[in-house]
Amino acid sequence: MRRSGSLARQVLTVRVGRRRRSLGTSGTALTAGVVTLPAAPDTLLEPLPGHLTGPTVDPLTRIVAPAAPTLPPAVPSLPPGMPTLPPAVPAQSVGGARIAEGFHDSGSHGPVPLLPGEHTLARRVRFAAVNACTIGSLVLGMTAIFLSMHSGARWAALCLVGCVTFDGLDGALARKLGVSSPFGAQMDSLADMCSFGIAAPVVVYSSVHNTARPGLIAGACVLVAACSAIRLARFNVSPKDGRFFCGVPTTMAAAVLGLAVLIGLRPSGTLAVAAIAVLALAMVSGFPYAKLARIVKLPPWLWLAPAIGAFIDYRITFAALVALYLASGPLLWLRQRSGAAAR
């Protein structure tokens, strides 16, 4: 009953007085029995549950206040000019998992198309031809590994040169035929890792492992594989420069190693280990190296000295050209830094 009536006040007075007399003159009062709150017109008197009552204690009373209305959370005001956040995307519960509207379950997606654009028969044939070159590079790399295991280092080195040829051919064909795709780029990167990151050091190891301690040669070849993986991964995520490579590309490093084995360039053990290690580290360096398209545009008179040297001793000429190309990276880097400092 509501306390606004006189009957409620009388009931409360009788209950409190009876409880005080039952406790005696010790002055001890039951704390839970006396509740003094200002009278409110909306409060209710309800009996407590039965487990709180006993044989010598009268049922207590509980004052229950009405629940206050729930207010919406305050939205802080943003200063003028500050962009507001987009509204939350409503979500629905499907099978116990919340899926935002506008997104579909992964099971509803079909396979990602490998060839962007229209899928005509002619474009599919061109796309297959380009990827056949990539597969050919992969097959030649595996063949080089098999041949190097059976003392066929020269034939294995020739397969490496074929890998370099196919690697340059698939990219040129993809651009010319208009079938370049992200799938083709990733496929080319994986084939390069197999042919240039694995097959090339295996061929080199089988060719020069008798010239020095096998552990040193193996360590240098493992360094080539690790640097090739780093170089390819960095190339996939880095912006492309049309003039220079950032570090020696894996294709050129494999071509140098394959041609060195093919022409029978056999330096001493210590020099071979040092040369392999320097070539591997050049792949992951940040030095700029000129692309082949810029090299072939050099003045013709610059090619006179290498042509004469090739007739005298092609092995020494080849080694000198490789050393000159490796040294060109730090020289270009120093030139760029000096030009930036001058500005």
Side-chain angles (χ1 to χ4, degrees), residues 11-232:
V11 171
L12 181 60
T13 304
V14 171
R15 288 181 181 273
V16 172
R18 184 183 303 171
R19 188 173 312 282
R20 287 181 176 177
R21 289 194 299 271
S22 63
L23 292 175
T25 59
S26 59
T28 305
L30 185 61
T31 305
V34 181
V35 181
T36 57
L37 291 175
D42 293 335
T43 57
L44 301 178
L45 293 178
E46 296 181 0
L48 287 175
H51 67 275
L52 296 178
T53 62
T56 60
V57 180
D58 292 337
L60 305 179
T61 58
R62 182 176 63 180
I63 298 177
V64 180
T70 304
L71 298 177
V75 179
S77 59
L78 298 177
M82 182 177 293
T84 58
L85 296 176
V89 180
Q92 56 183 353
S93 177
V94 179
R98 296 180 64 83
I99 302 176
E101 293 181 0
F103 296 91
H104 302 284
D105 189 10
S106 59
S108 63
H109 287 291
V112 178
L114 305 182
L115 177 62
E118 56 179 353
H119 290 182
T120 60
L121 180 59
R123 293 192 78 242
R124 289 184 177 183
V125 171
R126 294 195 295 267
F127 182 73
V130 170
N131 285 277
C133 294
T134 307
I135 297 296
S137 175
L138 180 64
V139 171
L140 286 178
M142 294 298 299
T143 305
I145 295 176
F146 298 149
L147 290 174
S148 63
M149 296 170 60
H150 298 282
S151 301
R154 289 289 183 88
W155 289 103
L158 187 61
C159 289
L160 286 181
V161 176
C163 291
V164 174
T165 304
F166 274 116
D167 181 70
L169 186 62
D170 63 357
L173 284 178
R175 291 186 293 269
K176 185 175 181 179
L177 299 179
V179 289
S180 300
S181 65
F183 168 79
Q186 298 300 322
M187 187 71 183
D188 181 73
S189 181
L190 293 174
D192 289 351
M193 184 58 204
C194 177
S195 301
F196 308 142
I198 302 298
V202 169
V203 172
V204 171
Y205 177 81
S206 65
S207 176
V208 300
H209 71 281
N210 293 325
T211 60
R213 293 181 180 180
L216 293 177
I217 298 294
C221 293
V222 169
L223 186 63
V224 171
C227 293
S228 298
I230 296 172
R231 174 69 175 80
L232 290 170

